[in-house]
Amino acid sequence: MDGNGRWAKKFHRPRTYGHRVGMQNIWPTILAIKKQKIKYASFYCFSTENWNRPTQEVDFLIKFPVDLFNTKKRDKYLKNDIKVIWIGRRDKLPKETREAIEEMEDLTKDCKSLIFNICIDYGSFNEIEHATKLLLKDYINSKKNIEEFSINELFNKLYTKDSPPVDLLIRTSGEQRLSNFMLLQVSYAELYFTNKHWPEFCEKDLELAIDSFNNRDRRFGEIRNVK
Ligand code: IPE
Ligand code: MG
């Protein structure tokens, strides 16, 4: 979800205006994703590095889930059978934000049509550190032999342990980098870049990305389907 600031600048509005409109674009995009029968979607909303932005902007970004999941907006997740999962570090955000997301996780825990991973205070390095600590504790406590370690054990400790690896990664606003996003999970993802800024990304753009994805040859290092 990149480009909120630049989009707002085009209209001579403050960056937080771009973030507000960007956040409003989450729900229509979720519906468009569900329409495509996609089962898992992750939205990168606030990264572990975003704390280094000006205080006013950080304040907005770390509190937006309270509005995103306010009492008027909650039911639509249930009605649409959408399960919310928080992907990210949980101990730094304000209590009201933490509660808003965790209440949504609880409320939607039995929903199945679409898993909506909301990535807040998320960064791959932090995720891997966190997962590695959990693993090391397991190994130490159960005196397990380190030679038995496999990468799947690490995957099972990531915040995304309940989601499959990423198939398609879409980045908006013309940047072509991963910015510490799910580095392990995107190992075989198809990457798609669009110049559209996140607040103006719409269903048509999603369809273009999916068309592009459907025309890729995914070989996973093998030589199958070579055209
Ligand atoms: C949104 O866009 C990403 C978030 C951190 C919420 P940006 O804030 O990165 O916007 P640009 O890149 O400055 O345009
Ligand atoms: Mg940006």
Side-chain angles (χ1 to χ4, degrees), residues 198-215:
W198 169 251
E200 61 196 359
F201 183 86
C202 64
E203 186 166 5
K204 181 83 207 142
D205 299 310
L206 178 74
E207 287 166 8
L208 288 174
I210 293 170
D211 281 350
S212 168
F213 174 82
N214 286 335
N215 284 310

Side-chain angles (χ1 to χ4, degrees), residues 116-135:
F116 165 32
N117 287 326
I118 182 161
C119 308
I120 298 188
D121 204 6
Y122 175 79
S124 213
F125 296 159
N126 165 262
E127 181 183 37
I128 295 167
E129 277 169 12
H130 177 258
T132 307
K133 281 182 202 164
L134 293 176
L135 254 180

Side-chain angles (χ1 to χ4, degrees), residues 1-4 6 15 53 171 173 175 177:
M1 296 164 54
D2 197 12
N4 293 350
R6 277 165 286 168
R15 293 178 57 82
R53 293 185 175 202
R171 181 163 185 158
S173 90
E175 308 296 352
R177 51 178 173 263

